[in-house]
């Protein structure tokens, strides 16, 4: 795991001091809200419906047990005893008080964390495959590259006031678990004739104009990564629209210019910027890679023992993945129980999970963009033991990838922009499909719920997407089908008129029936069936009143 | 819910409450005869014709660093809050945490 350099420490400490001064000036009236707002946003601080909200960066979703314990401490001391893990691998606190925020940032800095660039029109937290460094099929671990990008992008003087926010994701696998094709820039590590480099995708995004990213470079040598990113960001910074917030993302620029013209601009800038300063030499890369070595894993059992306990077996089959070291497993910890909103973890759970990570997984925890957690290195022989411990803190829900493993934005319960609630919808789905056998029978299915068109709940790329709308003061929900955020990324198709909150579960039930009826083999998943039969049969069933 | 910048001319209803967030805590407050309080049932009901007076008051209290994000909350004919966002804002989360 990356450790802060002296420069990192200094940057973060200075920012805490600077923000304390800004908060003091705001509270004493020396700064108006209009003046203060951009400053607080640069530190991840929003004002929502009921309270302030602080978004804390978890770079590429990697946490140490020490950091998780500190997050639990902050949740207890400054918030309401819980935190919310987000779809960009960050954590949000929903109830901090403004005068406490500088102190919270100071507490975060003690464990090498901060809230810098978690909001505002800048390069946000770099996200990554949550299984980075853990799987056999991976070309290369993307985390060192995320760290290299993090260093380059933090307080980058030219990219602190971009036309709009900017999100970058990196994966090292052909299987995409980082949703790179719905990011402003998506990077995939690939091997070409023995050399490792990047495929570069640009212009993906969700919101009111969803786009799948387009490939603009087939193979970018590693040494050129920062120069090329600099070229893309400069093109965007120069040509991206600043007159209309809804047309300001790079996806709009790319689509207005056309991919060929956009590529020309980028290549021109790339030639202009190809200077020694940003070229990554081998020793720089090597030094960063040193932080991301596997811990010393020891020999042990080749398989997870088959304990005769049906609950354990259900969980093992759903939440445990093979590690690239044959004697270890990867544990996916679901934050989608029927007792809490998706992505929420209490301080008790965080603290206990930190202890579990220390005991079983070298003190390491990952956050997934699907709002779950990962214990990356668990000995096969100890999987049953860890399950028992997770069960005690209600973190052993066996539903990873199933219909109740929903992604969900905070919705109108928290967010001032939302037009409908999303958390209660997610809870209804969890309650409706609580029967585990039924969930298994349905199989892999991603439901993603957003409380407004800004799409923080990723509804466009849900196999079933649900978008909350305000229809004359009443909540309605529009359904899209066939979306995916994986390597086969696609934007869901709107199925038809929206449903009232009351009718929504019935509609989902009908969709599931059509899917089950049209499966031609047992393991055929929802997305495959949808692609094969199209939207028509679903529409007929949903809007047939007979 | 109407932001202060757009206010009076955009208000459609007849009766409103004046609401804001506490600058320090972010807590939802309502304007009452005893100043800014969290109790919805103590909020003063404001007729549209008096809006300007309360706009000025809001501006002063924002400048005095008491509150932030001031707004008028529209009431329906039966005197309860009209839209869902304002209802959630005044009564809190609709699920258990």
């Amino acid at each position: 795991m990356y450790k802060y350099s002296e420069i990192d420490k200094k940057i973060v400490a200075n920012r805490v001091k600077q923000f304390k001064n800004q908060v003091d000036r705001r509270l004493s009236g020396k700064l108006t809200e209009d003046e203060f707002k951009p400053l607080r946003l640069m530190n991840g601080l929003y004002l929502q419906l009921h309270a302030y909200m602080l978004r804390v960066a978890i770079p590429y979703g990697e946490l140490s047990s020490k950091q998780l314990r500190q997050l639990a401490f902050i949740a207890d001391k400054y918030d309401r005893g819980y935190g919310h893990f987000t779809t960009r691998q960050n954590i949000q606190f929903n109830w901090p008080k403004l005068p406490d925020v500088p102190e919270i940032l100071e507490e975060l800095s003690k464990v090498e964390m901060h809230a810098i660039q978690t909001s505002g029109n800048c390069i946000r937290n770099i996200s990554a495959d949550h299984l980075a460094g853990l799987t056999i099929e991976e070309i290369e671990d993307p985390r060192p590259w995320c760290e290299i990008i993090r260093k380059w992008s933090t307080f980058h003087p030219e990219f602190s006031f971009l036309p709009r926010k900017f999100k970058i994701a990196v994966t090292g696998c052909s299987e995409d678990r980082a949703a790179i094709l719905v990011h402003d820039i998506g990077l995939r590590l690939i091997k070409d004739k023995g050399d490792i480099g990047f495929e570069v995708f640009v212009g993906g995004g969700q919101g009111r104009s969803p786009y799948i990213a387009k490939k603009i470079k087939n193979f970018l040598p590693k040494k050129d990564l920062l120069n090329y990113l600099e070229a893309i960001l400069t093109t965007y910074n120069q040509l991206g629209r600043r007159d209309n917030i809804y047309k300001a993302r790079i996806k709009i620029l790319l689509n207005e210019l056309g991919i060929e013209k956009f590529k020309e601009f980028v290549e021109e800038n790339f030639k202009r910027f190809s200077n020694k300063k940003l070229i990554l030499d081998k020793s720089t890369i090597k030094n960063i890679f040193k932080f991301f070595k596997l811990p010393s894993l020891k020999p042990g059992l080749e398989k997870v023992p088959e304990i005769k306990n049906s609950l354990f077996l259900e969980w093992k089959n759903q939440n445990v993945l093979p590690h690239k070291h044959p004697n270890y497993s990867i544990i996916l910890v679901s934050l989608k129980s029927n007792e809490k909103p998706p992505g929420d973890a209490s301080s008790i759970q965080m603290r206990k999970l930190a202890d579990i990570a220390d005991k079983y997984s070298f003190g390491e925890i990952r956050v997934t963009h699907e709002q779950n957690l990962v214990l990356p290195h668990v000995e096969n022989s100890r999987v049953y033991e860890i399950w028992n411990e997770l069960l005690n803190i209600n973190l052993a829900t066996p539903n990873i990838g199933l219909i109740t493993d929903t992604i969900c934005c905070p919705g109108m319960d928290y967010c001032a922009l939302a037009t409908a609630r999303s958390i209660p919808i997610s809870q209804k789905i969890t309650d409706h499909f609580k029967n585990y056998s039924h969930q298994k029978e349905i199989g892999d299915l991603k439901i993603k719920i957003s409380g407004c068109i800004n799409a923080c709940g990723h509804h466009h790329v849900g196999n079933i997407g649900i978008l909350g709308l305000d229809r004359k003061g009443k909540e309605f929900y529009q359904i899209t089908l066939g979306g995916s955020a994986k390597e086969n990324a696609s934007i869901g198709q709107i199925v038809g008129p929206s449903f009232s909150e009351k009718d929504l579960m019935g509609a989902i039930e009908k969709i599931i029936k059509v899917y089950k009826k049209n499966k031609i083999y047992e393991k055929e998943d929802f997305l495959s069936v949808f692609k094969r039969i199209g939207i028509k049969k679903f529409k007929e069933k949903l809007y047939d009143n007979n | 819910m109407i932001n202060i910048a757009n206010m009076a001319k955009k208000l459609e209803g007849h009766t409103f409450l004046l609401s804001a967030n506490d600058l320090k805590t972010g807590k939802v407050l309502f304007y009452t005869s005893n100043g800014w309080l969290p109790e919805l049932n103590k909020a003063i009901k404001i007729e549209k014709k008096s809006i300007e007076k309360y706009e000025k008051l809001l501006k002063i209290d924002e400048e005095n660093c008491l509150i932030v994000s001031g707004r008028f909350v529209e009431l329906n004919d039966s005197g309860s809050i009209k839209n869902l966002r304002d209802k959630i804002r005044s009564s809190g989360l609709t699920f258990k945490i």
Side-chain angles (χ1 to χ4, degrees):
Chain A
M1 191 169 176
Y2 181 71
K3 300 299 283 175
Y4 272 13
S5 65
E6 285 310 308
I7 294 171
D8 291 317
K9 284 179 191 166
K10 204 169 164 185
I11 284 175
V12 173
N14 282 346
R15 177 44 83 93
V16 172
K17 215 165 126 188
Q18 184 188 46
F19 191 58
K20 185 177 182 333
N21 178 268
Q22 289 162 352
V23 170
D24 288 345
R25 282 154 66 209
R26 173 69 186 113
L27 292 171
S28 66
K30 287 179 187 156
L31 288 176
T32 65
E33 185 59 20
D34 284 348
E35 289 164 333
F36 180 63
K37 190 177 172 184
L39 303 175
R40 68 168 160 78
L41 287 178
M42 282 179 195
N43 292 283
L45 187 65
Y46 291 74
L47 180 59
Q48 298 206 307
L49 281 191
H50 314 281
Y52 290 97
M53 178 274 278
L54 181 67
R55 184 180 296 147
V56 177
I58 301 176
Y60 31 95
E62 191 166 59
L63 271 176
S64 68
S65 55
K66 192 177 169 190
Q67 289 173 326
L68 188 58
R69 250 178 232 112
Q70 189 74 337
L71 293 173
F73 166 77
I74 288 166
D76 280 339
K77 183 167 179 190
Y78 303 101
D79 209 84
R80 293 195 181 172
Y82 71 101
H84 174 75
F85 291 96
T86 75
T87 53
R88 292 210 75 255
Q89 299 176 303
N90 292 317
I91 187 168
Q92 292 179 179
F93 293 109
N94 284 306
W95 312 93
K97 295 176 179 68
L98 180 58
D100 290 341
V101 175
E103 214 173 294
I104 298 174
L105 296 180
E106 201 173 337
E107 292 295 347
L108 288 169
S109 73
K110 289 177 187 170
V111 290
E112 305 189 350
M113 294 185 85
H114 60 69
I116 296 165
Q117 293 185 201
T118 59
S119 177
N121 294 338
C122 54
I123 301 171
R124 302 285 187 89
N125 185 32
I126 315 301
S127 56
D129 181 356
H130 53 266
L131 302 187
L134 303 177
T135 60
I136 287 175
E137 70 271 19
E138 188 175 78
I139 300 291
E140 189 169 283
D141 189 341
R143 291 172 301 163
W145 297 104
C146 293
E147 181 52 36
I148 286 167
I149 299 169
R150 188 193 71 82
K151 282 175 178 292
W152 161 80
S153 62
T154 301
F155 295 140
H156 192 303
E158 281 188 43
F159 306 143
S160 294
F161 295 97
L162 292 166
R164 201 69 183 90
K165 59 187 169 184
F166 203 91
K167 299 173 182 177
I168 302 175
V170 192
T171 182
C173 283
S174 53
E175 185 183 349
D176 184 4
R177 287 174 289 260
I180 63 164
L181 296 179
V182 286
H183 277 74
D184 295 293
I185 294 179
L187 298 168
R188 177 185 285 134
L189 284 147
I190 54 163
K191 199 178 253 181
D192 183 46
K193 293 170 198 152
D195 289 331
I196 295 176
F198 297 92
E199 268 182 310
V200 183
F201 300 85
V202 177
Q206 301 193 58
R208 64 190 63 219
S209 312
Y211 286 100
I212 300 300
K214 294 184 172 75
K215 197 198 280 188
I216 66 159
K217 193 87 174 166
N218 289 324
F219 187 84
L220 178 72
K222 288 172 173 181
K223 67 176 175 53
D224 292 328
L225 177 66
L226 294 186
N227 268 321
Y228 202 73
L229 293 180
E230 187 100 357
I232 296 170
L233 264 297
T234 301
T235 305
Y236 172 50
N237 210 15
Q238 287 170 338
L239 302 176
R241 287 180 65 170
R242 292 173 189 269
D243 61 325
N244 182 340
I245 191 174
Y246 303 120
K247 294 187 185 299
R249 297 289 290 267
I250 196 170
K251 60 190 175 186
I252 305 292
L253 175 67
L254 189 144
N255 281 283
E256 281 181 357
L257 287 176
I259 185 159
E260 291 309 321
K261 194 76 195 158
F262 181 84
K263 268 160 75 174
E264 266 177 45
F265 281 116
V266 171
E267 292 297 330
E268 266 174 40
N269 278 332
F270 181 52
K271 273 182 207 152
R272 208 154 55 88
F273 295 149
S274 287
N275 58 46
K276 283 181 183 165
K277 203 176 146 198
L278 283 178
I279 287 179
L280 291 160
D281 60 57
K282 283 184 180 164
S283 73
T284 307
I285 298 171
K286 203 175 157 191
N287 283 336
I288 295 289
F289 266 78
K290 278 181 192 163
F291 290 106
F292 298 94
K293 281 184 180 164
L294 273 180
S296 42
L297 306 177
K298 53 188 185 186
L301 296 180
E302 289 280 331
K303 280 188 174 175
V304 176
E306 292 286 320
I307 308 287
K308 283 185 182 167
N309 177 323
S310 60
L311 289 177
F312 168 69
L313 292 174
E314 276 175 359
W315 174 82
K316 182 179 85 77
N317 291 337
Q318 207 59 46
N319 293 33
V320 181
L321 295 174
H323 192 285
K324 69 180 176 187
H325 188 292
N327 309 127
Y328 281 76
S329 290
I330 304 161
I331 307 285
L332 295 158
V333 179
S334 170
L335 293 179
K336 316 291 172 59
S337 76
N338 55 0
E339 292 181 7
K340 286 192 188 312
D344 278 14
S346 71
S347 58
I348 296 168
Q349 287 174 323
M350 287 192 245
R351 219 170 265 117
K352 187 68 192 160
L353 196 66
D355 294 344
I356 291 172
D358 278 340
K359 198 168 159 190
Y360 299 98
S361 187
F362 300 87
E364 195 182 324
I365 303 106
R366 309 268 180 91
V367 183
T368 81
H369 87 274
E370 294 185 331
Q371 301 177 287
N372 293 312
L373 301 176
V374 179
L375 294 165
H377 325 280
V378 177
E379 282 176 76
N380 289 340
S381 59
R382 305 183 80 188
V383 169
Y384 180 67
E385 226 179 298
I386 206 171
W387 171 74
N388 272 302
E389 296 211 27
L390 290 170
L391 200 61
N392 287 338
I393 49 169
N394 197 24
L395 286 179
T397 310
N399 64 349
I400 296 292
L402 298 178
I403 192 168
T404 58
D405 184 12
T406 55
I407 281 189
C408 170
C409 75
M412 209 202 272
D413 277 288
Y414 289 105
C415 177
L417 302 174
T419 42
R421 289 171 300 159
S422 47
I423 291 170
I425 299 303
S426 161
Q427 289 180 323
K428 272 190 177 182
I429 292 167
T430 305
D431 197 45
H432 187 85
F433 293 98
K434 63 185 167 217
N435 182 300
Y436 177 72
S437 309
H438 190 197
Q439 286 188 55
K440 277 297 279 182
E441 195 194 338
I442 295 165
D444 287 355
L445 201 158
K446 308 268 182 204
I447 295 190
K448 304 188 179 187
I449 311 160
S450 302
C452 78
I453 195 62
N454 291 310
C456 297
H458 296 190
H459 69 277
H460 292 300
V461 290
N463 301 162
I464 299 176
I466 299 173
L467 165 64
L469 303 164
D470 178 343
R471 292 255 186 271
K472 295 181 181 170
K474 294 227 161 72
E475 289 166 296
F476 274 74
Y477 294 88
Q478 184 185 73
I479 293 178
T480 46
L481 297 178
S484 168
K486 294 187 71 72
E487 57 284 357
N488 56 358
S490 54
I491 304 296
Q493 298 172 40
I494 297 171
V495 77
S498 55
F499 297 89
S500 68
E501 188 192 352
K502 185 170 76 64
D503 294 335
L504 183 62
M505 287 316 302
I508 295 172
E509 193 58 66
K510 282 181 183 174
I511 291 166
I512 300 300
K513 272 186 188 155
V514 174
Y515 155 59
K516 279 161 72 174
K517 194 177 166 191
N518 286 278
K519 269 207 265 193
I520 50 177
Y521 58 96
E522 202 194 321
K523 294 268 177 195
E524 191 179 24
D525 66 21
F526 180 87
L527 199 58
S528 309
V529 171
F530 178 81
K531 282 184 177 168
R532 185 165 49 73
I533 69 171
I535 203 164
K536 198 174 162 217
K537 283 189 179 167
F538 291 96
K539 269 187 176 194
E540 283 168 1
K541 183 78 178 170
L542 280 168
Y543 300 104
D544 176 10
N545 292 324
N546 298 323
Chain B
M1 193 184 292
I2 305 290
N3 283 319
I4 191 162
N6 304 319
M7 276 203 200
K9 58 187 172 188
K10 289 199 174 177
L11 294 175
E12 283 177 3
H14 303 291
T15 319
F16 304 88
L17 306 178
L18 184 54
S19 183
N21 293 77
D22 183 285
L23 176 66
K24 286 185 180 172
T25 64
K27 201 171 184 176
V28 176
L29 301 174
F30 294 94
Y31 193 72
T32 74
S33 51
N34 292 319
W36 293 99
L37 292 173
E39 288 91 0
L40 170 68
N41 58 3
K42 291 183 181 164
I44 292 172
K45 288 185 179 168
I46 299 163
E47 297 295 317
K48 194 166 184 181
K49 60 185 181 202
S50 315
I51 287 282
E52 276 185 29
K53 175 184 148 189
Y54 287 95
E55 272 183 318
K56 282 176 193 161
L57 190 148
L58 202 51
K59 201 162 177 272
I60 290 166
D61 283 351
E62 284 196 337
E63 281 169 5
N64 288 335
C65 300
L66 294 175
I67 46 117
V68 66
S69 195
R71 64 200 70 198
F72 288 96
V73 174
E74 191 178 341
L75 302 179
N76 60 23
D77 293 341
S78 61
S80 51
I81 292 176
K82 193 176 172 188
N83 79 47
L84 182 64
R85 184 185 284 119
D86 287 331
K87 282 180 196 162
I88 293 173
R89 197 172 160 273
S90 63
S91 57
L93 303 179
T94 62
F95 54 86
K96 277 187 188 171
I97 50 173

